[in-house]
Amino acid sequence: MATPTGPWVPCSEAAVARALLFGWVLVRVAGATGTTDVVVAYNLTWKSTNFKTILEWEPKPINHVYTVQISPRLGNWKNKCFYTTDTECDVTDEIAKNVKETYLARVFSYPSDAIGSTGEPPFTNSPEFTPYLETNLGQPTIWSSEQVGTKLNVTIQDARTLVRVSGTFLSLRDVFGKDLNYVLYYWRASSTGKKKATTNTNEFLIDVDEGENYCFNVQAVIPSRRANQKSPGSPIECTSQEKVASTEMFFIVVAVTLVVIIFIIVLSVSLYKCRKARAGRSGKESLPLNVA
């Protein structure tokens, strides 16, 4: 029998068993790691308008949940939105306590099957947020407008906020005071050239051309801010002087027509009576004289 050439590699059943066992252990470790690891939150963002404030983050959870904590810069952490599968948390009630304070938030990630476990889970910090300086200004509302002659009067309604003092919700004006300005943009309805007026109250009274229609909208502004100075513009409104003039002209025409009709009726009645009187006199003159 020929003797095989080359090195001989041993391959016993024990070696095969050890290799299979080692592979099984690796699979188990990999599986355990996949079920216990959690994804740390990222892209933490403050979304705030008129002090209603939401903290948002990513990603959508799969095998984990989140808990949020918020704190003033020199205060204590407070838990919000416990073990949630959402990726946002409303923290308005916390920041509304002092809108001039600077806040920090953090989002903890927990495995879904480890809620209530001890030890600090991984977390991500948010950027700092100062509501008074950073909340977006909401779209203002025009409460009333009136054009009389050469004056256009526009009144703005302050938006209500969720900032509360002694049980009463404050308006933007209550919170910002004279820091809050309104800008009125106005133009002739037949033109595209805009003018603007600014006030730190809620009312505009501006000079316009009599008989001309005007369109306008308003914007809230906080000039002292470095960012987020301006709100979106309000919906555009327009005056309707032509309609008023047409209505007035209609009543004038009706009144003149009535006067003319009455005059014609009176004149006709007068002429009729005059003719009748003349006819009576003519009849008497044609009768023969009585001879005594």
Side-chain angles (χ1 to χ4, degrees):
M1 176 180 294
T3 302
T5 60
W8 178 70
V9 178
C11 185
S12 66
E13 291 183 1
V16 172
R18 284 195 297 271
L20 291 175
L21 178 61
F22 180 70
W24 178 81
V25 170
L26 288 178
V27 170
R28 293 290 292 176
V29 170
T33 302
T35 57
T36 58
D37 282 356
V38 295
V39 178
V40 178
Y42 62 90
N43 196 22
L44 274 64
T45 307
W46 299 95
K47 301 290 186 181
S48 181
T49 299
N50 291 349
F51 299 107
K52 180 174 177 60
T53 303
I54 309 293
L55 180 69
E56 297 181 351
W57 63 90
E58 296 182 80
K60 289 290 185 183
I62 299 176
N63 293 318
H64 61 284
V65 291
Y66 299 109
T67 292
V68 175
Q69 287 188 340
I70 185 171
S71 171
R73 179 180 284 167
L74 300 177
N76 297 320
W77 291 103
K78 187 167 184 180
N79 290 321
K80 304 289 291 183
C81 303
F82 298 89
Y83 305 126
T84 180
T85 56
D86 294 330
T87 54
E88 64 177 34
C89 182
D90 190 335
V91 293
T92 303
D93 58 339
E94 293 301 319
I95 68 99
K97 294 174 181 176
N98 185 354
V99 296
K100 294 187 177 181
E101 180 64 82
T102 297
Y103 294 88
L104 183 69
R106 56 189 183 184
V107 178
F108 291 89
S109 300
Y110 294 87
S112 298
D113 58 355
I115 295 175
S117 62
T118 59
E120 186 172 81
F123 65 88
T124 304
N125 286 323
S126 73
E128 290 185 342
F129 176 68
T130 306
Y132 191 87
L133 300 178
E134 298 180 66
T135 192
N136 293 314
L137 300 175
Q139 186 182 57
T141 300
I142 296 176
W143 176 256
S144 64
S145 61
E146 183 181 25
Q147 183 178 344
V148 179
T150 60
K151 296 293 183 180
L152 174 63
N153 180 260
V154 179
T155 303
I156 313 304
Q157 182 181 22
D158 283 325
R160 287 285 166 187
T161 73
L162 295 178
V163 180
R164 188 163 48 184
V165 173
S166 301
T168 301
F169 291 105
L170 304 183
S171 69
L172 278 185
R173 176 67 65 196
D174 295 329
V175 177
F176 288 109
K178 295 298 183 180
D179 283 349
L180 176 65
N181 287 356
Y182 288 109
V183 178
L184 176 74
Y185 297 93
Y186 63 101
W187 60 96
R188 288 184 183 181
S190 59
S191 171
T192 57
K194 291 185 178 181
K195 296 181 179 180
K196 75 174 185 178
T198 303
T199 182
N200 59 8
T201 69
N202 291 62
E203 189 171 6
F204 293 92
L205 184 63
I206 57 176
D207 294 323
V208 293
D209 295 331
E210 188 171 5
E212 289 283 345
N213 286 331
Y214 280 81
C215 295
F216 48 88
N217 70 338
V218 295
Q219 192 174 40
V221 179
I222 299 181
S224 61
R225 284 183 169 186
R226 294 182 180 179
N228 295 339
Q229 285 188 335
K230 300 179 179 180
S231 75
S234 69
I236 294 173
E237 295 190 12
C238 296
T239 59
S240 54
Q241 294 298 295
E242 291 179 357
K243 182 177 180 181
V244 172
S246 298
T247 303
E248 291 177 351
M249 185 59 68
F250 171 76
F251 284 114
I252 291 172
V253 170
V254 169
V256 171
T257 302
L258 288 175
V259 170
V260 171
I261 291 173
I262 293 170
F263 176 75
I264 291 173
I265 292 173
V266 171
L267 182 60
S268 298
V269 171
S270 299
L271 291 175
Y272 172 75
K273 289 183 177 180
C274 287
R275 290 195 193 101
K276 189 174 181 182
R278 287 175 184 173
R281 287 196 297 271
S282 299
K284 290 179 180 179
E285 290 175 357
S286 62
L287 291 175
L289 295 173
N290 294 324
V291 181

